[in-house]
Amino acid sequence: MAEAHQAVAFQFTITPEGIDLQLSHEALRQVYLSGLRSWKKRIVRLKNNVITGVYPASPSSWLFVVIAILATMYTRSDPSMGLIAKIQEHLPYLRAPYLLTVVSAVVFSTMLWLSLIFTMKLCLKQLLSYHGWMFEQRGNVSNTTKVWMMLVRIFSGRQPLLYSYQGSLPNLPVPAVKDTIRRYLESIRPLKSDSEFERVNTLAKEFEVSLGNRLQWYLKLKSMWASNYVSDWWEEYIYLRGRGPIMVNSNYYGMDFMYAIPTPIQAARAGNILHAVLMYRRKLNKEEIKPVTLGPGQTQCERIFNTTRIPGEETDTVVHWKDSEYVAVYHRGRYFRLWLYQAGRMLSPREIEYQIQRILDDPSTPAPGEEKLGAFTAGDRLPWAQARKEFFGSGVNKRSLDCIEKAAFFVTLEHEELDKKGDDPDITLDRYAKSLLHGKCYDRWFDKSFSVVIYKNGKNGLNAEHSWADAPVVSRMWEYVLATDCFHLGYNEEGHCKGDVNPSLPRPQRLTWDIPSQCQERLAQSLSVAQVLADDVDFHVFAFRDFGKGSIKKVKMSPDGFIQLALQLAFYRDRGMFCLTYEASMTRLFREGRTETVRSCTSESCEFLRAFENGEVCRRFCRSASEKHQQLYRLAMTGAGIDRHLFCLYIVSKYLGIESPFLKEVFSEPWRLSTSQTPVQHLEMFDFVNYPEYLICGGGFGPVADDGYGVSYSLIGEDIITFHVSSKHSCPQTDSHKFGKQIRKALGDLLQLMTNNQKEASRSEQNHSPKPQSKKEL
């Protein structure tokens, strides 16, 4: 076999005359090319590190400064004011005095250049600390903001790379305790009775004047030492220390196009998708992905690939490897290693399709315990940590597990079709969401940074682990992959990937396991826990097409604020009450920023919705509720949120061994409505007008509270909003389909109200405006 021959670099035989080496020149060439690719990547990383390190200047600016200093010295003037002469005194003696002068001038120029870079970075950091522009009304830009925008352009210099802004981003500020408590009390006021609120208010005031200031001191100390006083504790205690299953509870999913399947051939779709993911990784390594405007933090992008969550008995760890040239593939209970590079060259989509088809055609059967091995990653973390230590610490199991954990990412080839012709589209989408979120509980590797799922009919999606990054990071990659798959790579007339195949490619490597019966028993227990959790999840996914953000903007409301009001109204109609509402916001304007909570349920929104349900004219209430939501969102984005500050105060209290009744009260409140907007970040790569069937569907997550809803939504173009609603069957008070209907009705009712109010306001202005005088009156 050709591939077996090329897999050996050389052969040798021992003869009486000595050792006879039989070298394989092709194999050595492959080794050389593979090493060449590795060195090219190192050089690119080094170059990018230099460019990012000197940003907002450029490496070439150093040469400009050196030439300028030497030119000035040529005119017999001393721009250093005597510093060059001082530098000469400390340099080794050179016989050529002119050369000594040049060297000292270069040293001075370099020091001057570095000083200028430091000054520019400091100025840019101070500029990026200004957030007043966020609190101005749209279209009404102040002179201060105009000057600020001009200065940012000046100090931003040339075109930034992906990580260029990281050194200039400000640290996340620590809010004052009294301000956080004031905003917290304001947020819970509409949810508490007078007696309950008075009790919490008393606890809050006692905390503020006593323990709060002591805990705050530790946070301020940490903020001066660490680049972000929240992120490391958030990752550690919210994600990694959780001992329950991460499947459903933490992981989230992203969907394919809602209606279109570019090809029904599973291997072909996998070929294009995997190649597009590699293209994105190459752009990421070269830092060619543009940072979002105004320098949001991009540090989470570093861990998209080659990253795995490793279970521990007390806490998990996130491990990232610098590079990996293969993926781990699961199909019909078997695991494979699939190399995506050959001799340093990325495999073409057609070659990946060829390799995937080899896996699909492989007739081998799973080893005992292999088929459901992934259930360890779906169940509780402690049993998985113990089993990993006991059964996967050495030998063949360790080698195979290392192969999965060090892979670039994970791929699942489903042997079943997802869509069935004739099914209700909504039911199909609901089944699709459940499949991506948990599958069969053993056919995903939930510890990997993300897993790509390819169904038998060509449909696909992904499942992502949450601890290493937030959803917008994965969403941005997935949008690029889908657009590249359909509009850049494409397929031939038969539905196969374009290009030619190299038949000498080595076959994908089947991973081997030796799983004893004791391990299989523990595996069955983990699967049982995961199966109960998965069966309890209720999903409803739908695209709202009656109107989108275009119509919402016409009534002069924030689209996000409008949807949040609609969700509040839907919950009020569904349960007859208001609840604590979680809306995720990004703190990307700060170094290593992750998320903050916007408490969307406010006194203003409750007042408006009560008036609306009572049939009262509530134009003023609606505007007040919308403006309040916008204010809270801006505060969260600019570091003045409530929940992350209280979370860190709580962590410090635990370190000090102090129990706080107030903090205990805060973290005992359930989030019965957890919401998140998935932004479309590569809108320019899609054409929803001419290609409406290529509607991206966003993604979703499981319910946060046992008696609540999880709602993810995306604003697609100007006319479509997609919703992913999750809840639990075990709670008789929740029903995802019923809540979805309430959302549809609430959206329509609110838009009609706002449209009518706008018409009434317009007529009122016309009636009160002075009528023009007639010629006779003039």
Side-chain angles (χ1 to χ4, degrees):
M1 296 172 64
E3 60 267 22
H5 173 71
Q6 297 301 335
V8 182
F10 62 90
Q11 299 175 350
F12 67 92
T13 57
I14 300 177
T15 66
E17 290 78 17
I19 298 177
D20 178 24
L21 295 177
Q22 299 175 2
L23 297 176
S24 170
H25 297 288
E26 176 61 23
L28 290 177
R29 177 177 171 273
Q30 301 291 332
V31 171
Y32 164 74
L33 293 175
S34 182
L36 186 62
R37 171 182 175 268
S38 178
W39 276 104
K40 284 181 178 179
K41 290 185 66 175
R42 293 181 187 180
I43 292 172
V44 168
R45 286 197 186 106
L46 178 62
K47 182 194 72 173
N48 289 343
N49 288 338
V50 171
I51 294 175
T52 300
V54 301
Y55 185 84
S58 64
S60 59
S61 63
W62 171 82
L63 185 61
F64 174 81
V65 174
V66 171
I67 293 174
I69 294 297
L70 291 175
T72 306
M73 293 181 64
Y74 184 75
T75 61
R76 298 187 180 280
S77 59
D78 186 4
S80 70
M81 295 181 291
L83 285 177
I84 292 179
K86 291 288 186 183
I87 294 173
Q88 287 182 6
E89 296 175 2
H90 295 83
L91 290 178
Y93 173 74
L94 296 175
R95 291 186 177 181
Y98 178 75
L99 183 59
L100 184 62
T101 303
V102 170
V103 172
S104 59
V106 170
V107 172
F108 171 77
S109 301
T110 303
M111 294 171 60
L112 178 63
W113 179 64
L114 293 174
S115 300
L116 290 173
I117 291 173
F118 177 78
T119 303
M120 291 180 69
K121 281 191 174 185
L122 188 61
C123 292
L124 185 58
K125 186 172 185 177
Q126 294 302 314
L127 287 170
L128 294 177
S129 299
Y130 170 74
H131 301 127
W133 58 273
M134 292 192 65
F135 296 89
E136 295 177 355
Q137 293 182 353
R138 186 180 297 272
N140 187 20
V141 182
S142 66
N143 291 331
T144 302
T145 298
K146 290 178 181 177
V147 173
W148 171 78
M149 292 173 66
M150 180 183 66
L151 291 174
V152 168
R153 291 193 191 100
I154 293 173
F155 283 96
S156 292
R158 56 187 172 77
Q159 183 66 34
L161 295 177
L162 179 62
Y163 304 124
S164 293
Y165 281 110
Q166 295 309 303
S168 302
L169 288 178
N171 291 359
L172 184 68
V174 183
V177 173
K178 64 177 182 179
D179 292 339
T180 297
I181 290 178
R182 174 178 54 79
R183 287 194 287 266
Y184 167 77
L185 293 174
E186 187 179 308
S187 72
I188 66 168
R189 185 64 190 92
L191 308 175
K192 302 284 187 182
S193 65
D194 293 341
S195 59
E196 290 176 333
F197 180 76
E198 187 60 34
R199 179 181 62 83
V200 177
N201 185 59
T202 302
L203 293 175
K205 296 303 180 184
E206 291 177 355
F207 175 81
E208 179 183 343
V209 299
S210 57
L211 181 60
N213 289 328
R214 180 183 174 188
L215 302 180
Q216 178 80 345
W217 184 86
Y218 286 95
L219 289 189
K220 287 185 175 181
L221 183 64
K222 184 184 179 185
S223 69
M224 290 186 290
W225 178 253
S227 54
N228 191 299
Y229 79 96
V230 175
S231 294
D232 59 335
W233 284 352
W234 185 255
E235 180 177 307
E236 174 76 13
Y237 292 101
I238 295 300
Y239 295 116
L240 300 180
R241 290 235 175 184
R243 299 294 82 195
I246 61 175
M247 183 199 74
V248 174
N249 293 329
S250 179
N251 285 33
Y252 54 93
Y253 65 86
M255 282 187 167
D256 195 1
F257 298 110
M258 182 171 282
Y259 302 112
I261 302 179
T263 177
I265 303 174
Q266 184 180 19
R269 191 74 197 281
N272 264 10
I273 289 293
L274 298 191
H275 186 81
V277 174
L278 294 181
M279 290 175 63
Y280 188 85
R281 184 170 77 162
R282 183 170 60 188
K283 291 174 68 70
L284 191 68
N285 289 337
K286 293 182 178 180
E287 298 188 36
E288 294 175 350
I289 299 171
K290 294 181 180 179
V292 186
T293 308
L294 294 173
Q298 305 288 342
T299 53
Q300 297 176 45
C301 294
E302 297 173 344
R303 299 193 289 182
I304 293 181
F305 299 97
N306 329 316
T307 299
T308 300
R309 176 171 174 161
I310 304 296
E313 295 188 1
E314 294 185 0
T315 182
D316 294 353
T317 55
V318 175
V319 180
H320 171 73
W321 290 270
K322 282 191 175 296
D323 194 18
S324 180
E325 297 187 351
Y326 67 89
V327 293
V329 181
Y330 178 91
H331 177 246
R332 287 187 176 272
R334 304 155 307 162
Y335 291 87
F336 296 84
R337 184 210 303 257
L338 172 60
W339 293 96
L340 298 177
Y341 294 83
Q342 184 190 35
R345 176 187 63 85
M346 186 192 305
L347 296 187
S348 69
R350 187 70 181 88
E351 290 173 327
I352 298 177
E353 176 188 352
Y354 176 72
Q355 295 291 72
I356 291 291
Q357 192 61 52
R358 281 178 157 181
I359 294 176
L360 296 175
D361 296 338
D362 190 307
S364 62
T365 58
E370 179 184 8
E371 179 181 10
K372 300 180 180 180
L373 185 62
F376 271 135
T377 67
D380 291 326
R381 304 305 292 174
L382 181 57
W384 173 211
Q386 294 172 339
R388 187 178 187 276
K389 183 178 180 180
E390 185 174 350
F391 302 108
F392 299 88
S394 62
V396 63
N397 288 344
K398 184 181 188 307
R399 289 193 294 272
S400 295
L401 181 61
D402 284 347
C403 178
I404 294 175
E405 293 180 339
K406 294 180 180 179
F409 52 95
F410 193 79
V411 179
T412 295
L413 300 175
E414 289 280 4
H415 61 276
E416 297 176 354
E417 292 189 3
L418 178 69
D419 299 319
K420 300 292 184 181
K421 293 182 179 180
D423 280 355
D424 185 332
D426 286 345
I427 296 177
T428 299
L429 286 174
D430 300 344
R431 187 168 62 246
Y432 182 23
K434 281 182 64 67
S435 176
L436 290 176
L437 186 65
H438 55 68
K440 298 182 180 66
C441 301
Y442 56 79
D443 53 352
R444 316 276 187 267
W445 200 268
F446 295 100
D447 287 353
K448 286 299 293 181
S449 55
F450 68 94
S451 300
V452 176
V453 183
I454 312 289
Y455 294 91
K456 188 175 181 180
N457 62 339
K459 201 77 173 175
N460 70 10
L462 63 79
N463 180 288
E465 202 275 316
H466 208 327
S467 65
W468 63 273
D470 299 305
V473 176
V474 178
S475 173
R476 191 181 188 188
M477 176 201 71
W478 193 237
E479 288 172 19
Y480 174 90
V481 168
L482 292 180
T484 302
D485 165 34
C486 295
F487 305 121
H488 177 64
L489 298 175
Y491 301 87
N492 61 24
E493 295 180 355
E494 292 78 24
H496 292 282
C497 296
K498 298 177 181 178
D500 299 322
V501 178
N502 178 8
S504 65
L505 289 172
R507 299 184 66 87
Q509 177 188 354
R510 171 77 188 277
L511 302 186
T512 56
W513 308 89
D514 181 15
I515 303 175
S517 58
Q518 302 95 319
C519 182
Q520 295 181 39
E521 292 175 2
R522 299 191 195 181
L523 181 59
Q525 294 172 0
S526 291
L527 179 59
S528 176
V529 170
Q531 196 66 60
V532 170
L533 180 61
D535 292 342
D536 197 22
V537 178
D538 179 27
F539 256 103
H540 182 46
V541 180
F542 63 96
F544 183 80
R545 290 178 168 272
D546 294 355
F547 59 85
K549 66 180 180 182
S551 298
I552 298 173
K553 289 178 181 178
K554 289 179 181 178
V555 297
K556 299 179 180 180
M557 282 193 69
S558 157
D560 185 67
F562 182 91
I563 294 174
Q564 285 293 325
L565 279 177
L567 294 176
Q568 292 289 324
L569 178 59
F571 191 90
Y572 184 70
R573 288 172 171 175
D574 183 64
R575 301 283 287 272
M577 58 180 287
F578 297 107
C579 71
L580 195 62
T581 303
Y582 184 109
E583 181 186 4
S585 165
M586 301 294 291
T587 56
R588 61 190 185 185
L589 297 177
F590 302 95
R591 186 179 294 189
E592 298 181 15
R594 291 202 61 161
T595 61
E596 178 57 276
T597 304
V598 180
R599 293 179 169 233
S600 302
C601 183
T602 62
S603 297
E604 289 80 359
S605 65
C606 293
E607 186 177 17
F608 158 65
L609 295 175
R610 287 194 184 98
F612 177 77
E613 287 296 89
N614 292 332
E616 301 175 12
V617 178
C618 44
R619 184 191 318 157
R620 177 176 58 84
F621 291 158
C622 184
R623 292 293 179 195
S624 177
S626 178
E627 290 172 2
K628 181 65 175 181
H629 175 267
Q630 286 296 98
Q631 178 72 5
L632 290 176
Y633 205 96
R634 291 163 180 158
L635 288 171
M637 288 191 68
T638 54
I642 301 170
D643 291 273
R644 299 301 178 270
H645 186 204
L646 291 175
F647 162 77
C648 288
L649 291 172
Y650 180 73
I651 296 299
V652 173
S653 72
K654 289 298 182 182
Y655 276 130
L656 298 179
I658 301 173
E659 288 293 333
S660 169
F662 168 68
L663 294 176
K664 186 177 181 180
E665 176 79 22
V666 170
F667 291 100
S668 64
E669 299 168 339
W671 300 96
R672 291 192 173 89
L673 186 56
S674 180
T675 69
S676 177
Q677 179 187 167
T678 303
V680 180
Q681 302 170 77
H682 284 296
L683 194 60
E684 74 283 352
M685 299 184 72
F686 299 90
D687 186 353
F688 301 123
V689 176
N690 297 320
Y691 300 95
E693 68 274 17
Y694 289 100
L695 169 66
I696 53 179
C697 198
F701 52 89
V704 175
D706 292 338
D707 58 346
Y709 294 102
V711 181
S712 174
Y713 55 93
S714 298
L715 297 155
I716 311 296
E718 295 293 313
D719 304 309
I720 302 171
I721 310 173
T722 61
F723 288 90
H724 301 247
V725 183
S726 64
S727 61
K728 291 191 175 183
H729 290 296
S730 57
C731 178
Q733 297 174 301
T734 58
D735 186 320
S736 295
H737 289 74
K738 179 182 175 183
F739 193 62
K741 293 178 181 178
Q742 294 285 16
I743 293 174
R744 290 187 180 96
K745 188 174 186 306
L747 288 168
D749 291 347
L750 283 178
L751 185 67
Q752 183 178 3
L753 169 72
M754 295 307 300
T755 303
N756 293 338
N757 285 345
Q758 193 174 38
K759 291 178 180 178
E760 290 177 10
S762 179
R763 285 196 296 266
S764 177
E765 290 177 2
Q766 292 176 0
N767 293 333
H768 289 85
S769 61
K771 297 181 179 179
Q773 294 176 312
S774 64
K775 292 182 178 180
K776 184 177 180 181
E777 291 173 330
L778 290 173

